[in-house]
Amino acid sequence: MLQQLLSITQTAERLRVRPDYVRELVRKQRLTFIHGEQLDAAQVEKLAKLMDKLRHNGIATLVQIVDEKGELES
């Protein structure tokens, strides 16, 4: 089975972050370079789905909490 690899730029685009942040994710071992500065597309996709979910749910949860406390103005 062939492993698809992504560049830092491609990974940044998929994760909707800056390339420097991709390097930070590697430094923190949330992503791993496979060959040079190439990343496993499957690993990137898993992280992208998690980040998308957190972006969506995180903001929605924060708005709900603030609204429940009556801190949102109409």
Side-chain angles (χ1 to χ4, degrees):
M1 185 172 124
L2 258 121
Q3 184 179 33
Q4 283 192 320
L5 300 176
L6 300 175
S7 68
I8 290 176
T9 303
Q10 291 170 317
T11 299
E13 288 171 1
R14 177 59 188 102
L15 298 178
R16 296 186 295 161
V17 299
R18 295 181 325 274
D20 287 342
Y21 188 68
V22 173
R23 287 186 180 88
E24 184 69 18
L25 290 170
V26 171
R27 191 181 70 72
K28 291 182 178 182
Q29 299 180 343
R30 290 182 177 77
L31 289 173
T32 306
F33 285 135
I34 301 297
H35 183 270
E37 289 193 338
Q38 302 261 319
L39 298 125
D40 177 27
Q43 185 183 29
V44 170
E45 188 58 29
K46 253 176 103 171
L47 182 59
K49 287 179 182 179
L50 175 62
M51 289 175 72
D52 287 344
K53 186 176 181 179
L54 289 173
R55 280 184 188 112
H56 175 73
N57 291 337
I59 291 171
T61 301
L62 178 61
V63 169
Q64 181 180 0
I65 290 169
V66 171
D67 190 36
E68 286 172 0
K69 290 184 175 182
E71 296 174 8
L72 281 182
E73 295 183 22
S74 300

